[in-house]
Amino acid sequence: MPNYIWFFLLTILAALLFIYTLSKKDKSKVFSVYFFITGLSYIFDYLVFVLGNAYSYHPHFFDEKWFDYFYGSSVSQAMAVPMIAVFLTTFNLSFVWYFLSALLLIAIEWMFVRFGLYVQHWWNYFYTFIFLLACFFSTLKWQTMLDRPRNSVKFWTMFLCIVFIEDTMTFYRVALFHTNLYSPGWFSDPIRDHIAGNAVATFVFSIFVTIGIIYRFPWYGYGLLLASNCFIDIALIHTGYLHIAPFWNLFYSTSLSAIMIVLYRWIYSKLFLSEEHLGK
């Protein structure tokens, strides 16, 4: 059986669990919690996986090694772990289920190691256990804070939402179509170097977009943000830190960013503004 089939199966099972959770609970609350923990998992993965090379996944779905690693990691960090965390906390299950779920995921990790789907470099099962419990309890805490969210809670929820969506969207666009490549010069492998550099660009862009959404920038404020982002990209191209494919250009990337900002404003309105109108 090809390696990627196991990752597909894990994705399908996690998605079914998430769909069940959505069918039983308030969708805005479920998505808010999901965006928070998934974005947080992405930042954790950036530090431990991309920068620290703690482990590697081998779904054999992409030819480029680090694209393949990243795809496998995203199945864990965007699907399996956060969707189980959301299920546990949304249904207010006892802490016993937290420990049992952590042990289940460690059993899956062990199976992936045995089948050659996953390799631990300096990472180990104890670290996984601690990470999973921290993830589950952080999700529970954030869910409580979302009952009456302050601006800081809204800010971090939206920031992590944007980080997750931007990073995922950029990954598939570059992995499938090779539209652009960052080259900060941090790693010898060009794809790992790109993933590391792109994440920094994503973090910075996400912060300013989130500020604009939370503090309700007028449209010309977003125009200034997009223009600034475009000028930075031009500077990066001229200094060799960013490479653009012949069929891709800054007009396309800026237009895509504008569309995504509209999407993020819509997500924010669905997650938070409806509750404000109801006086919650």
Side-chain angles (χ1 to χ4, degrees):
M1 181 183 294
N3 284 14
Y4 58 79
I5 295 297
W6 294 102
F7 290 86
F8 287 175
L9 289 174
L10 188 58
T11 298
I12 292 170
L13 290 174
L16 289 174
L17 184 65
F18 191 65
I19 291 170
Y20 175 78
T21 305
L22 285 171
S23 69
K24 298 295 183 179
K25 299 294 181 177
D26 177 69
K27 293 179 177 59
S28 295
K29 188 74 168 291
V30 170
F31 274 112
S32 295
V33 176
Y34 171 74
F35 287 143
F36 164 76
I37 198 59
T38 305
L40 201 61
S41 296
Y42 266 44
I43 293 175
F44 168 85
D45 217 37
Y46 175 71
L47 297 172
V48 174
F49 163 60
V50 178
L51 299 184
N53 197 27
Y55 43 76
S56 57
Y57 291 85
H58 301 268
H60 297 168
F61 190 72
F62 290 99
D63 293 331
E64 293 90 347
K65 180 176 66 175
W66 272 90
F67 281 152
D68 204 47
Y69 291 174
F70 190 94
Y71 166 71
S73 182
S74 69
V75 172
S76 172
Q77 306 298 349
M79 300 296 294
V81 173
M83 290 181 178
I84 289 175
V86 171
F87 173 79
L88 292 172
T89 57
T90 303
F91 283 95
N92 200 27
L93 299 182
S94 70
F95 292 160
V96 173
W97 285 101
Y98 289 33
F99 287 92
L100 291 176
S101 298
L103 291 174
L104 172 63
L105 287 170
I106 288 173
I108 294 173
E109 181 179 359
W110 176 85
M111 183 189 75
F112 272 38
V113 170
R114 295 280 293 182
F115 289 174
L117 308 173
Y118 172 76
V119 175
Q120 297 174 332
H121 298 162
W122 56 265
W123 194 257
N124 60 51
Y125 298 115
F126 176 73
Y127 293 160
T128 300
F129 185 71
I130 297 301
F131 161 73
L132 289 172
L133 290 183
C135 176
F136 296 158
F137 283 105
S138 296
T139 305
L140 178 63
K141 176 64 176 178
W142 203 256
Q143 180 176 269
T144 303
M145 296 174 71
L146 282 165
D147 288 336
R148 292 185 177 275
R150 299 179 178 179
N151 269 351
S152 59
V153 173
K154 296 177 184 179
F155 180 92
W156 286 109
T157 301
M158 279 308 303
F159 169 72
L160 293 169
C161 166
I162 296 170
V163 164
F164 158 57
I165 295 175
E166 285 287 319
D167 218 28
T168 303
M169 182 185 67
T170 303
F171 164 70
Y172 282 106
R173 190 186 73 229
V174 175
L176 295 174
F177 304 110
H178 303 282
T179 54
N180 59 281
L181 206 67
Y182 284 93
S183 301
W186 300 339
F187 301 103
S188 58
D189 186 290
I191 304 303
R192 184 184 182 188
D193 203 39
H194 160 75
I195 292 172
N198 177 75
V200 173
T202 297
F203 295 154
V204 174
F205 178 75
S206 300
I207 287 173
F208 284 103
V209 173
T210 305
I211 291 172
I213 291 172
I214 298 297
Y215 294 100
R216 304 186 184 185
F217 280 7
W219 284 109
Y220 62 78
Y222 292 109
L224 181 61
L225 172 61
L226 291 171
S228 300
N229 193 57
C230 186
F231 285 128
I232 291 172
D233 283 347
I234 291 172
L236 291 174
I237 291 170
H238 282 291
T239 53
Y241 290 110
L242 176 61
H243 307 276
I244 303 291
F247 64 87
W248 192 254
N249 59 52
L250 294 181
F251 173 77
Y252 295 152
S253 60
T254 303
S255 299
L256 182 58
S257 295
I259 293 171
M260 295 309 296
I261 287 174
V262 174
L263 173 63
Y264 299 140
R265 284 170 55 93
W266 178 81
I267 291 174
Y268 177 76
S269 70
K270 292 298 180 181
L271 296 183
F272 298 114
L273 294 187
S274 59
E275 290 192 354
E276 290 179 6
H277 292 159
L278 290 173
K280 293 184 180 180

